[in-house]
PDB file of all heavy atoms in Angstrom:
ATOM      1  N   PRO A 911      -7.819  10.388  -8.705  1.00 98.00           N
ATOM      2  CA  PRO A 911      -6.932   9.235  -8.875  1.00 98.00           C
ATOM      3  C   PRO A 911      -5.614   9.551  -9.573  1.00 98.00           C
ATOM      4  O   PRO A 911      -4.708   8.703  -9.574  1.00 98.00           O
ATOM      5  CB  PRO A 911      -7.780   8.269  -9.718  1.00 98.00           C
ATOM      6  CG  PRO A 911      -9.195   8.644  -9.413  1.00 98.00           C
ATOM      7  CD  PRO A 911      -9.152  10.141  -9.284  1.00 98.00           C
ATOM      8  N   PHE A 912      -5.487  10.735 -10.177  1.00 98.00           N
ATOM      9  CA  PHE A 912      -4.213  11.095 -10.806  1.00 98.00           C
ATOM     10  C   PHE A 912      -3.161  11.533  -9.785  1.00 98.00           C
ATOM     11  O   PHE A 912      -1.974  11.612 -10.115  1.00 98.00           O
ATOM     12  CB  PHE A 912      -4.421  12.201 -11.839  1.00 98.00           C
ATOM     13  CG  PHE A 912      -5.132  11.759 -13.079  1.00 98.00           C
ATOM     14  CD1 PHE A 912      -6.397  12.233 -13.383  1.00 98.00           C
ATOM     15  CD2 PHE A 912      -4.553  10.843 -13.939  1.00 98.00           C
ATOM     16  CE1 PHE A 912      -7.062  11.824 -14.528  1.00 98.00           C
ATOM     17  CE2 PHE A 912      -5.205  10.415 -15.088  1.00 98.00           C
ATOM     18  CZ  PHE A 912      -6.473  10.906 -15.387  1.00 98.00           C
ATOM     19  N   PRO A 923      -4.444   5.431 -12.370  1.00 98.00           N
ATOM     20  CA  PRO A 923      -5.703   6.169 -12.390  1.00 98.00           C
ATOM     21  C   PRO A 923      -6.925   5.344 -12.767  1.00 98.00           C
ATOM     22  O   PRO A 923      -8.036   5.870 -12.825  1.00 98.00           O
ATOM     23  CB  PRO A 923      -5.450   7.210 -13.481  1.00 98.00           C
ATOM     24  CG  PRO A 923      -4.598   6.485 -14.476  1.00 98.00           C
ATOM     25  CD  PRO A 923      -3.718   5.551 -13.654  1.00 98.00           C
ATOM     26  N   GLY A 924      -6.754   4.051 -13.030  1.00 98.00           N
ATOM     27  CA  GLY A 924      -7.828   3.257 -13.607  1.00 98.00           C
ATOM     28  C   GLY A 924      -8.964   2.943 -12.656  1.00 98.00           C
ATOM     29  O   GLY A 924      -8.968   3.333 -11.481  1.00 98.00           O
ATOM     30  N   ALA A 925      -9.938   2.188 -13.162  1.00 99.00           N
ATOM     31  CA  ALA A 925     -11.163   1.882 -12.430  1.00 99.00           C
ATOM     32  C   ALA A 925     -10.953   0.695 -11.496  1.00 99.00           C
ATOM     33  O   ALA A 925     -10.445  -0.353 -11.898  1.00 99.00           O
ATOM     34  CB  ALA A 925     -12.281   1.572 -13.420  1.00 99.00           C
ATOM     35  N   THR A 926     -11.379   0.861 -10.249  1.00 98.00           N
ATOM     36  CA  THR A 926     -11.326  -0.232  -9.283  1.00 98.00           C
ATOM     37  C   THR A 926     -12.344   0.026  -8.198  1.00 98.00           C
ATOM     38  O   THR A 926     -12.933   1.109  -8.114  1.00 98.00           O
ATOM     39  CB  THR A 926      -9.912  -0.389  -8.689  1.00 98.00           C
ATOM     40  OG1 THR A 926      -9.826  -1.621  -7.960  1.00 98.00           O
ATOM     41  CG2 THR A 926      -9.550   0.778  -7.784  1.00 98.00           C
ATOM     42  N   PHE A 934      -8.644  -1.994 -13.431  1.00 99.00           N
ATOM     43  CA  PHE A 934      -8.660  -1.876 -14.894  1.00 99.00           C
ATOM     44  C   PHE A 934      -8.073  -0.507 -15.242  1.00 99.00           C
ATOM     45  O   PHE A 934      -8.721   0.520 -15.066  1.00 99.00           O
ATOM     46  CB  PHE A 934     -10.097  -2.004 -15.385  1.00 99.00           C
ATOM     47  CG  PHE A 934     -10.235  -2.453 -16.811  1.00 99.00           C
ATOM     48  CD1 PHE A 934      -9.143  -2.776 -17.604  1.00 99.00           C
ATOM     49  CD2 PHE A 934     -11.500  -2.582 -17.373  1.00 99.00           C
ATOM     50  CE1 PHE A 934      -9.290  -3.198 -18.912  1.00 99.00           C
ATOM     51  CE2 PHE A 934     -11.669  -3.000 -18.678  1.00 99.00           C
ATOM     52  CZ  PHE A 934     -10.556  -3.310 -19.450  1.00 99.00           C
ATOM     53  N   SER A 935      -6.852  -0.505 -15.793  1.00 98.00           N
ATOM     54  CA  SER A 935      -6.127   0.761 -15.906  1.00 98.00           C
ATOM     55  C   SER A 935      -5.226   0.761 -17.135  1.00 98.00           C
ATOM     56  O   SER A 935      -4.778  -0.301 -17.593  1.00 98.00           O
ATOM     57  CB  SER A 935      -5.287   0.991 -14.646  1.00 98.00           C
ATOM     58  OG  SER A 935      -4.780   2.302 -14.571  1.00 98.00           O
ATOM     59  N   PRO A 936      -4.929   1.948 -17.671  1.00 98.00           N
ATOM     60  CA  PRO A 936      -4.043   2.026 -18.839  1.00 98.00           C
ATOM     61  C   PRO A 936      -2.589   1.768 -18.466  1.00 98.00           C
ATOM     62  O   PRO A 936      -2.121   2.195 -17.407  1.00 98.00           O
ATOM     63  CB  PRO A 936      -4.236   3.473 -19.317  1.00 98.00           C
ATOM     64  CG  PRO A 936      -4.622   4.225 -18.084  1.00 98.00           C
ATOM     65  CD  PRO A 936      -5.442   3.265 -17.274  1.00 98.00           C
ATOM     66  N   THR A 938       0.917   2.787 -19.619  1.00 98.00           N
ATOM     67  CA  THR A 938       1.645   3.766 -20.424  1.00 98.00           C
ATOM     68  C   THR A 938       3.152   3.641 -20.252  1.00 98.00           C
ATOM     69  O   THR A 938       3.904   4.296 -20.965  1.00 98.00           O
ATOM     70  CB  THR A 938       1.228   5.192 -20.020  1.00 98.00           C
ATOM     71  OG1 THR A 938       1.714   5.474 -18.693  1.00 98.00           O
ATOM     72  CG2 THR A 938      -0.281   5.360 -20.057  1.00 98.00           C
ATOM     73  N   TYR A 949       1.745   2.933 -15.110  1.00 98.00           N
ATOM     74  CA  TYR A 949       1.295   4.248 -15.572  1.00 98.00           C
ATOM     75  C   TYR A 949       2.207   5.327 -15.009  1.00 98.00           C
ATOM     76  O   TYR A 949       2.648   5.258 -13.859  1.00 98.00           O
ATOM     77  CB  TYR A 949      -0.132   4.514 -15.101  1.00 98.00           C
ATOM     78  CG  TYR A 949      -0.726   5.828 -15.601  1.00 98.00           C
ATOM     79  CD1 TYR A 949      -1.497   5.864 -16.754  1.00 98.00           C
ATOM     80  CD2 TYR A 949      -0.505   7.014 -14.918  1.00 98.00           C
ATOM     81  CE1 TYR A 949      -2.040   7.058 -17.222  1.00 98.00           C
ATOM     82  CE2 TYR A 949      -1.036   8.218 -15.374  1.00 98.00           C
ATOM     83  CZ  TYR A 949      -1.804   8.236 -16.526  1.00 98.00           C
ATOM     84  OH  TYR A 949      -2.330   9.426 -16.988  1.00 98.00           O
ATOM     85  N   ILE A 956      -0.400   4.783 -24.871  1.00 98.00           N
ATOM     86  CA  ILE A 956      -1.019   3.695 -24.111  1.00 98.00           C
ATOM     87  C   ILE A 956      -0.764   2.403 -24.870  1.00 98.00           C
ATOM     88  O   ILE A 956      -1.137   2.262 -26.033  1.00 98.00           O
ATOM     89  CB  ILE A 956      -2.525   3.920 -23.923  1.00 98.00           C
ATOM     90  CG1 ILE A 956      -2.766   5.138 -23.022  1.00 98.00           C
ATOM     91  CG2 ILE A 956      -3.190   2.680 -23.321  1.00 98.00           C
ATOM     92  CD1 ILE A 956      -4.228   5.518 -22.870  1.00 98.00           C
ATOM     93  N   PHE A 959      -4.834  -1.647 -22.019  1.00 98.00           N
ATOM     94  CA  PHE A 959      -5.560  -1.550 -20.757  1.00 98.00           C
ATOM     95  C   PHE A 959      -5.533  -2.945 -20.140  1.00 98.00           C
ATOM     96  O   PHE A 959      -6.094  -3.888 -20.709  1.00 98.00           O
ATOM     97  CB  PHE A 959      -6.999  -1.092 -20.977  1.00 98.00           C
ATOM     98  CG  PHE A 959      -7.121   0.239 -21.667  1.00 98.00           C
ATOM     99  CD1 PHE A 959      -7.439   0.304 -23.012  1.00 98.00           C
ATOM    100  CD2 PHE A 959      -6.911   1.423 -20.976  1.00 98.00           C
ATOM    101  CE1 PHE A 959      -7.555   1.531 -23.658  1.00 98.00           C
ATOM    102  CE2 PHE A 959      -7.019   2.650 -21.605  1.00 98.00           C
ATOM    103  CZ  PHE A 959      -7.333   2.712 -22.953  1.00 98.00           C
ATOM    104  N   PHE A 992      -2.392   9.566 -26.987  1.00 97.00           N
ATOM    105  CA  PHE A 992      -3.524  10.230 -26.344  1.00 97.00           C
ATOM    106  C   PHE A 992      -3.121  11.612 -25.857  1.00 97.00           C
ATOM    107  O   PHE A 992      -1.955  11.887 -25.587  1.00 97.00           O
ATOM    108  CB  PHE A 992      -4.065   9.391 -25.180  1.00 97.00           C
ATOM    109  CG  PHE A 992      -3.170   9.330 -23.955  1.00 97.00           C
ATOM    110  CD1 PHE A 992      -3.469  10.076 -22.824  1.00 97.00           C
ATOM    111  CD2 PHE A 992      -2.050   8.513 -23.923  1.00 97.00           C
ATOM    112  CE1 PHE A 992      -2.668  10.012 -21.696  1.00 97.00           C
ATOM    113  CE2 PHE A 992      -1.243   8.439 -22.797  1.00 97.00           C
ATOM    114  CZ  PHE A 992      -1.551   9.196 -21.674  1.00 97.00           C
ATOM    115  N   LYS A 994      -3.550  14.137 -22.835  1.00 94.00           N
ATOM    116  CA  LYS A 994      -3.903  14.045 -21.430  1.00 94.00           C
ATOM    117  C   LYS A 994      -5.122  14.891 -21.086  1.00 94.00           C
ATOM    118  O   LYS A 994      -5.824  14.609 -20.096  1.00 94.00           O
ATOM    119  CB  LYS A 994      -2.718  14.443 -20.553  1.00 94.00           C
ATOM    120  CG  LYS A 994      -1.525  13.496 -20.669  1.00 94.00           C
ATOM    121  CD  LYS A 994      -0.532  13.686 -19.559  1.00 94.00           C
ATOM    122  CE  LYS A 994      -1.056  13.193 -18.238  1.00 94.00           C
ATOM    123  NZ  LYS A 994      -1.285  11.738 -18.223  1.00 94.00           N
ATOM    124  N   THR A 996      -7.812  14.815 -22.476  1.00 97.00           N
ATOM    125  CA  THR A 996      -9.027  14.018 -22.659  1.00 97.00           C
ATOM    126  C   THR A 996      -9.192  12.947 -21.583  1.00 97.00           C
ATOM    127  O   THR A 996     -10.208  12.242 -21.570  1.00 97.00           O
ATOM    128  CB  THR A 996      -9.020  13.331 -24.033  1.00 97.00           C
ATOM    129  OG1 THR A 996      -7.995  12.305 -24.057  1.00 97.00           O
ATOM    130  CG2 THR A 996      -8.766  14.327 -25.153  1.00 97.00           C
ATOM    131  N   GLU A 997      -8.206  12.794 -20.710  1.00 98.00           N
ATOM    132  CA  GLU A 997      -8.293  11.787 -19.658  1.00 98.00           C
ATOM    133  C   GLU A 997      -9.270  12.220 -18.563  1.00 98.00           C
ATOM    134  O   GLU A 997      -9.268  13.369 -18.131  1.00 98.00           O
ATOM    135  CB  GLU A 997      -6.926  11.555 -19.011  1.00 98.00           C
ATOM    136  CG  GLU A 997      -6.014  10.612 -19.765  1.00 98.00           C
ATOM    137  CD  GLU A 997      -4.807  10.239 -18.926  1.00 98.00           C
ATOM    138  OE1 GLU A 997      -4.024  11.145 -18.595  1.00 98.00           O
ATOM    139  OE2 GLU A 997      -4.645   9.057 -18.588  1.00 98.00           O
ATOM    140  N   VAL A 998     -10.053  11.277 -18.103  1.00 98.00           N
ATOM    141  CA  VAL A 998     -10.954  11.486 -16.967  1.00 98.00           C
ATOM    142  C   VAL A 998     -10.792  10.294 -16.034  1.00 98.00           C
ATOM    143  O   VAL A 998     -10.824   9.140 -16.477  1.00 98.00           O
ATOM    144  CB  VAL A 998     -12.425  11.595 -17.411  1.00 98.00           C
ATOM    145  CG1 VAL A 998     -13.343  11.734 -16.202  1.00 98.00           C
ATOM    146  CG2 VAL A 998     -12.617  12.757 -18.366  1.00 98.00           C
ATOM    147  N   ALA A 999     -10.600  10.572 -14.746  1.00 98.00           N
ATOM    148  CA  ALA A 999     -10.509   9.489 -13.768  1.00 98.00           C
ATOM    149  C   ALA A 999     -11.247   9.897 -12.509  1.00 98.00           C
ATOM    150  O   ALA A 999     -10.960  10.945 -11.919  1.00 98.00           O
ATOM    151  CB  ALA A 999      -9.051   9.164 -13.452  1.00 98.00           C
ATOM    152  N   THR A1000     -12.198   9.093 -12.115  1.00 98.00           N
ATOM    153  CA  THR A1000     -12.912   9.253 -10.856  1.00 98.00           C
ATOM    154  C   THR A1000     -13.044   7.873 -10.239  1.00 98.00           C
ATOM    155  O   THR A1000     -12.789   6.863 -10.912  1.00 98.00           O
ATOM    156  CB  THR A1000     -14.310   9.864 -11.074  1.00 98.00           C
ATOM    157  OG1 THR A1000     -15.077   8.977 -11.908  1.00 98.00           O
ATOM    158  CG2 THR A1000     -14.227  11.233 -11.734  1.00 98.00           C
ATOM    159  N   PRO A1001     -13.400   7.767  -8.973  1.00 98.00           N
ATOM    160  CA  PRO A1001     -13.513   6.428  -8.376  1.00 98.00           C
ATOM    161  C   PRO A1001     -14.439   5.517  -9.180  1.00 98.00           C
ATOM    162  O   PRO A1001     -15.611   5.803  -9.382  1.00 98.00           O
ATOM    163  CB  PRO A1001     -14.088   6.729  -6.981  1.00 98.00           C
ATOM    164  CG  PRO A1001     -13.559   8.085  -6.653  1.00 98.00           C
ATOM    165  CD  PRO A1001     -13.610   8.830  -7.961  1.00 98.00           C
ATOM    166  N   GLY A1002     -13.873   4.439  -9.688  1.00 98.00           N
ATOM    167  CA  GLY A1002     -14.653   3.467 -10.441  1.00 98.00           C
ATOM    168  C   GLY A1002     -14.791   3.738 -11.923  1.00 98.00           C
ATOM    169  O   GLY A1002     -15.527   3.016 -12.617  1.00 98.00           O
ATOM    170  N   TYR A1003     -14.057   4.737 -12.447  1.00 98.00           N
ATOM    171  CA  TYR A1003     -14.239   5.095 -13.862  1.00 98.00           C
ATOM    172  C   TYR A1003     -12.970   5.726 -14.415  1.00 98.00           C
ATOM    173  O   TYR A1003     -12.293   6.506 -13.740  1.00 98.00           O
ATOM    174  CB  TYR A1003     -15.389   6.087 -13.991  1.00 98.00           C
ATOM    175  CG  TYR A1003     -15.631   6.607 -15.394  1.00 98.00           C
ATOM    176  CD1 TYR A1003     -16.314   5.850 -16.333  1.00 98.00           C
ATOM    177  CD2 TYR A1003     -15.182   7.884 -15.771  1.00 98.00           C
ATOM    178  CE1 TYR A1003     -16.551   6.332 -17.623  1.00 98.00           C
ATOM    179  CE2 TYR A1003     -15.410   8.378 -17.044  1.00 98.00           C
ATOM    180  CZ  TYR A1003     -16.091   7.603 -17.971  1.00 98.00           C
ATOM    181  OH  TYR A1003     -16.319   8.092 -19.238  1.00 98.00           O
ATOM    182  N   TYR A1004     -12.653   5.359 -15.661  1.00 99.00           N
ATOM    183  CA  TYR A1004     -11.541   5.990 -16.383  1.00 99.00           C
ATOM    184  C   TYR A1004     -11.949   6.115 -17.847  1.00 99.00           C
ATOM    185  O   TYR A1004     -12.578   5.206 -18.417  1.00 99.00           O
ATOM    186  CB  TYR A1004     -10.260   5.153 -16.280  1.00 99.00           C
ATOM    187  CG  TYR A1004      -9.131   5.687 -17.139  1.00 99.00           C
ATOM    188  CD1 TYR A1004      -8.275   6.673 -16.669  1.00 99.00           C
ATOM    189  CD2 TYR A1004      -8.933   5.205 -18.434  1.00 99.00           C
ATOM    190  CE1 TYR A1004      -7.249   7.176 -17.466  1.00 99.00           C
ATOM    191  CE2 TYR A1004      -7.913   5.700 -19.233  1.00 99.00           C
ATOM    192  CZ  TYR A1004      -7.078   6.694 -18.741  1.00 99.00           C
ATOM    193  OH  TYR A1004      -6.067   7.194 -19.533  1.00 99.00           O
ATOM    194  N   ALA A1005     -11.592   7.238 -18.476  1.00 98.00           N
ATOM    195  CA  ALA A1005     -11.884   7.441 -19.901  1.00 98.00           C
ATOM    196  C   ALA A1005     -10.746   8.217 -20.541  1.00 98.00           C
ATOM    197  O   ALA A1005     -10.081   9.038 -19.890  1.00 98.00           O
ATOM    198  CB  ALA A1005     -13.200   8.194 -20.087  1.00 98.00           C
ATOM    199  N   VAL A1006     -10.526   7.942 -21.843  1.00 98.00           N
ATOM    200  CA  VAL A1006      -9.489   8.651 -22.581  1.00 98.00           C
ATOM    201  C   VAL A1006      -9.818   8.569 -24.071  1.00 98.00           C
ATOM    202  O   VAL A1006     -10.446   7.605 -24.531  1.00 98.00           O
ATOM    203  CB  VAL A1006      -8.093   8.056 -22.301  1.00 98.00           C
ATOM    204  CG1 VAL A1006      -7.990   6.621 -22.837  1.00 98.00           C
ATOM    205  CG2 VAL A1006      -6.978   8.927 -22.855  1.00 98.00           C
ATOM    206  N   GLN A1007      -9.397   9.560 -24.818  1.00 98.00           N
ATOM    207  CA  GLN A1007      -9.537   9.563 -26.270  1.00 98.00           C
ATOM    208  C   GLN A1007      -8.239   9.054 -26.884  1.00 98.00           C
ATOM    209  O   GLN A1007      -7.169   9.635 -26.656  1.00 98.00           O
ATOM    210  CB  GLN A1007      -9.845  10.978 -26.781  1.00 98.00           C
ATOM    211  CG  GLN A1007     -10.199  11.044 -28.246  1.00 98.00           C
ATOM    212  CD  GLN A1007     -11.573  10.480 -28.566  1.00 98.00           C
ATOM    213  OE1 GLN A1007     -12.449  10.487 -27.704  1.00 98.00           O
ATOM    214  NE2 GLN A1007     -11.769  10.013 -29.789  1.00 98.00           N
ATOM    215  N   LEU A1008      -8.320   7.956 -27.628  1.00 98.00           N
ATOM    216  CA  LEU A1008      -7.144   7.425 -28.326  1.00 98.00           C
ATOM    217  C   LEU A1008      -7.035   8.168 -29.652  1.00 98.00           C
ATOM    218  O   LEU A1008      -7.775   7.890 -30.608  1.00 98.00           O
ATOM    219  CB  LEU A1008      -7.299   5.916 -28.540  1.00 98.00           C
ATOM    220  CG  LEU A1008      -7.609   5.095 -27.266  1.00 98.00           C
ATOM    221  CD1 LEU A1008      -7.708   3.613 -27.605  1.00 98.00           C
ATOM    222  CD2 LEU A1008      -6.579   5.353 -26.175  1.00 98.00           C
ATOM    223  N   ALA A1015     -12.179   5.403 -25.238  1.00 98.00           N
ATOM    224  CA  ALA A1015     -12.164   4.187 -24.418  1.00 98.00           C
ATOM    225  C   ALA A1015     -12.600   4.546 -23.006  1.00 98.00           C
ATOM    226  O   ALA A1015     -12.088   5.500 -22.409  1.00 98.00           O
ATOM    227  CB  ALA A1015     -10.768   3.573 -24.397  1.00 98.00           C
ATOM    228  N   GLU A1016     -13.516   3.764 -22.463  1.00 99.00           N
ATOM    229  CA  GLU A1016     -14.007   3.969 -21.106  1.00 99.00           C
ATOM    230  C   GLU A1016     -13.899   2.658 -20.330  1.00 99.00           C
ATOM    231  O   GLU A1016     -14.193   1.589 -20.869  1.00 99.00           O
ATOM    232  CB  GLU A1016     -15.458   4.438 -21.114  1.00 99.00           C
ATOM    233  CG  GLU A1016     -15.694   5.769 -21.815  1.00 99.00           C
ATOM    234  CD  GLU A1016     -17.168   6.074 -21.937  1.00 99.00           C
ATOM    235  OE1 GLU A1016     -17.781   5.601 -22.928  1.00 99.00           O
ATOM    236  OE2 GLU A1016     -17.703   6.758 -21.051  1.00 99.00           O
ATOM    237  N   LEU A1017     -13.495   2.757 -19.081  1.00 99.00           N
ATOM    238  CA  LEU A1017     -13.316   1.583 -18.237  1.00 99.00           C
ATOM    239  C   LEU A1017     -14.120   1.735 -16.956  1.00 99.00           C
ATOM    240  O   LEU A1017     -14.158   2.811 -16.354  1.00 99.00           O
ATOM    241  CB  LEU A1017     -11.841   1.397 -17.857  1.00 99.00           C
ATOM    242  CG  LEU A1017     -10.774   1.514 -18.948  1.00 99.00           C
ATOM    243  CD1 LEU A1017      -9.389   1.367 -18.332  1.00 99.00           C
ATOM    244  CD2 LEU A1017     -10.991   0.477 -20.035  1.00 99.00           C
ATOM    245  N   THR A1018     -14.755   0.660 -16.522  1.00 99.00           N
ATOM    246  CA  THR A1018     -15.321   0.563 -15.188  1.00 99.00           C
ATOM    247  C   THR A1018     -15.176  -0.885 -14.749  1.00 99.00           C
ATOM    248  O   THR A1018     -14.681  -1.729 -15.513  1.00 99.00           O
ATOM    249  CB  THR A1018     -16.779   1.060 -15.137  1.00 99.00           C
ATOM    250  OG1 THR A1018     -17.178   1.193 -13.760  1.00 99.00           O
ATOM    251  CG2 THR A1018     -17.721   0.136 -15.874  1.00 99.00           C
ATOM    252  N   LEU A1025     -14.983  -3.916 -17.346  1.00 99.00           N
ATOM    253  CA  LEU A1025     -15.899  -3.628 -18.452  1.00 99.00           C
ATOM    254  C   LEU A1025     -15.328  -2.486 -19.281  1.00 99.00           C
ATOM    255  O   LEU A1025     -15.073  -1.394 -18.759  1.00 99.00           O
ATOM    256  CB  LEU A1025     -17.283  -3.257 -17.917  1.00 99.00           C
ATOM    257  CG  LEU A1025     -18.380  -2.947 -18.949  1.00 99.00           C
ATOM    258  CD1 LEU A1025     -18.601  -4.129 -19.887  1.00 99.00           C
ATOM    259  CD2 LEU A1025     -19.671  -2.556 -18.252  1.00 99.00           C
ATOM    260  N   ARG A1027     -15.798  -0.042 -22.639  1.00 98.00           N
ATOM    261  CA  ARG A1027     -16.717   0.505 -23.640  1.00 98.00           C
ATOM    262  C   ARG A1027     -15.902   1.352 -24.609  1.00 98.00           C
ATOM    263  O   ARG A1027     -15.234   2.300 -24.197  1.00 98.00           O
ATOM    264  CB  ARG A1027     -17.804   1.358 -22.967  1.00 98.00           C
ATOM    265  CG  ARG A1027     -18.810   1.931 -23.957  1.00 98.00           C
ATOM    266  CD  ARG A1027     -20.063   2.440 -23.243  1.00 98.00           C
ATOM    267  NE  ARG A1027     -19.818   3.609 -22.418  1.00 98.00           N
ATOM    268  CZ  ARG A1027     -20.756   4.189 -21.649  1.00 98.00           C
ATOM    269  NH1 ARG A1027     -21.985   3.660 -21.590  1.00 98.00           N
ATOM    270  NH2 ARG A1027     -20.474   5.254 -20.927  1.00 98.00           N
ATOM    271  N   PHE A1159     -23.197  -0.402 -18.688  1.00 98.00           N
ATOM    272  CA  PHE A1159     -21.953   0.237 -18.254  1.00 98.00           C
ATOM    273  C   PHE A1159     -22.227   1.297 -17.199  1.00 98.00           C
ATOM    274  O   PHE A1159     -21.543   1.360 -16.161  1.00 98.00           O
ATOM    275  CB  PHE A1159     -21.253   0.854 -19.469  1.00 98.00           C
ATOM    276  CG  PHE A1159     -19.897   1.452 -19.184  1.00 98.00           C
ATOM    277  CD1 PHE A1159     -18.740   0.746 -19.473  1.00 98.00           C
ATOM    278  CD2 PHE A1159     -19.765   2.730 -18.643  1.00 98.00           C
ATOM    279  CE1 PHE A1159     -17.486   1.294 -19.221  1.00 98.00           C
ATOM    280  CE2 PHE A1159     -18.523   3.283 -18.384  1.00 98.00           C
ATOM    281  CZ  PHE A1159     -17.378   2.558 -18.671  1.00 98.00           C
ATOM    282  N   HIS A1163     -20.824   1.716 -13.264  1.00 98.00           N
ATOM    283  CA  HIS A1163     -20.125   2.924 -12.831  1.00 98.00           C
ATOM    284  C   HIS A1163     -20.813   3.550 -11.626  1.00 98.00           C
ATOM    285  O   HIS A1163     -20.162   3.902 -10.628  1.00 98.00           O
ATOM    286  CB  HIS A1163     -20.065   3.911 -13.999  1.00 98.00           C
ATOM    287  CG  HIS A1163     -19.483   5.238 -13.651  1.00 98.00           C
ATOM    288  ND1 HIS A1163     -19.775   6.390 -14.354  1.00 98.00           N
ATOM    289  CD2 HIS A1163     -18.634   5.622 -12.654  1.00 98.00           C
ATOM    290  CE1 HIS A1163     -19.137   7.401 -13.825  1.00 98.00           C
ATOM    291  NE2 HIS A1163     -18.441   6.960 -12.794  1.00 98.00           N
TER     292      HIS A1163
END
Side-chain angles (χ1 to χ4, degrees):
F912 289 113
T926 192
F934 204 2
S935 192
T938 69
Y949 183 94
I956 293 175
F959 302 102
F992 71 104
K994 295 195 71 65
T996 69
E997 278 191 297
V998 177
T1000 61
Y1003 176 79
Y1004 174 86
V1006 66
Q1007 188 72 27
L1008 307 181
E1016 298 173 274
L1017 314 177
T1018 192
L1025 181 58
R1027 181 165 68 183
F1159 185 99
H1163 175 205

